[in-house]
């Protein structure tokens, strides 16, 4: 044990600092390692995204047109891409650098209408001349992508037989990094949710697959 020689004032300061550290460490979570809490929508991961560094301000795109005219997007997703209310389409769009270019990339998430807002497909578009090129696509139920400090983070809800949309059995969070000509998987976290609470999950908190539009 290392002993510190200090005056009464210094000792009191060290003790106070130790209490501060103890308070900070208690109850802490590793967000990147554990994934989002079960009672937090996946959407909250992207509600306060880390800013991406880019030398060019983001130029807004027509995400609906981008997806609809993209031959890499399945006809199933295009068929579900309908207005939810008024002129609003179930599309979330994020701008940031995930491919290392000077022009911000565009991440588009296509959702289902309704309270569940389940993700149907997620796509990454990279500036290519006057157009945008699709450089990543994931099309499956309950998928959602965000930008996190230059990485592409894709979250997938896992459903077992009998699960409802609000109560998945687990979650997979995959981090991708740009390798120069495509994305490579960098990290994967798999979370399995307990069914012991509330028996069949009735006591669990719901986990929407995507944020609710304000």
């Amino acid at each position: 044990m290392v002993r510190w020689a200090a005056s009464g004032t210094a000792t009191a300061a060290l003790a106070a600092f130790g209490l501060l550290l103890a308070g900070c460490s208690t109850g802490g979570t590793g967000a990147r390692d554990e994934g989002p809490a079960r009672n937090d929508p996946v959407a909250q991961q992207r509600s306060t995204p880390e800013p991406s560094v880019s030398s060019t301000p983001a130029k807004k795109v027509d995400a609906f047109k981008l997806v609809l005219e993209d031959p890499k997007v399945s006809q199933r997703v295009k068929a579900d891409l309908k207005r939810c209310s008024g002129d609003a389409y179930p599309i979330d769009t994020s701008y940031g650098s995930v491919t290392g270019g000077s022009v911000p990339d565009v991440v588009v998430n296509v959702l289902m209408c309704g309270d569940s807002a389940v993700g149907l497909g997620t796509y990454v578009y990279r500036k290519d001349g006057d157009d945008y090129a699709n450089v990543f696509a994931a099309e499956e139920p309950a998928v959602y992508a965000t930008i996190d400090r230059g990485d592409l983070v894709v979250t997938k809800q896992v459903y077992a037989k009998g699960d409802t949309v609000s109560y998945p059995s687990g979650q997979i969070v995959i981090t991708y990094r740009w390798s120069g000509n495509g994305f490579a998987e960098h990290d994967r976290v798999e979370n399995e949710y307990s069914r012991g609470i509330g028996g069949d999950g009735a006591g669990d908190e719901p986990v929407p697959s995507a944020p609710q539009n304000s």
Side-chain angles (χ1 to χ4, degrees), residues 12 101 112:
M112 290 178 60

Side-chain angles (χ1 to χ4, degrees), residues 101-118:
S102 60
V103 178
D105 304 301
V106 183
V107 176
V108 179
N109 288 284
V110 178
L111 315 171
M112 290 178 60
C113 293
D115 293 337
S116 60
V118 174

Side-chain angles (χ1 to χ4, degrees), residues 32-135:
R32 284 297 296 276
D33 294 333
E34 298 298 333
R38 294 199 59 190
N39 60 347
D40 290 339
V42 172
Q44 292 184 2
Q45 293 185 12
R46 66 139 175 108
S47 60
T48 54
E50 293 286 344
S52 298
V53 178
S54 175
S55 60
T56 304
K59 182 179 180 180
K60 306 306 180 182
V61 302
D62 185 339
F64 171 76
K65 183 178 179 181
L66 202 61
V67 171
L68 201 63
E69 296 180 353
D70 185 354
K72 293 185 178 181
V73 176
S74 69
Q75 291 301 318
R76 175 184 59 83
V77 171
K78 291 180 180 180
D80 288 331
L81 190 54
K82 302 175 181 178
R83 290 185 177 91
C84 294
S85 60
D87 293 330
Y89 287 96
I91 294 178
D92 287 347
T93 310
S94 300
Y95 300 88
S97 178
V98 287
T99 67
S102 60
V103 178
D105 304 301
V106 183
V107 176
V108 179
N109 288 284
V110 178
L111 315 171
M112 290 178 60
C113 293
D115 293 337
S116 60
V118 174
L120 298 176
T122 184
Y123 313 92
V124 178
Y125 293 94
R126 188 173 193 261
K127 188 67 172 176
D128 183 16
D130 295 331
D131 299 318
Y132 282 89
N134 184 330
V135 293

Side-chain angles (χ1 to χ4, degrees), residues 4-5 7 16 49 82 125 155 189 202:
W4 295 87
S7 66
K82 302 175 181 178
Y125 293 94
T155 302
V189 176

Side-chain angles (χ1 to χ4, degrees), residues 72 74 88 108 122 139 146 157 180 182 194 212:
K72 293 185 178 181
S74 69
V108 179
T122 184
E139 294 182 335
T146 61
Q157 303 294 348
S194 172
Q212 306 303 312

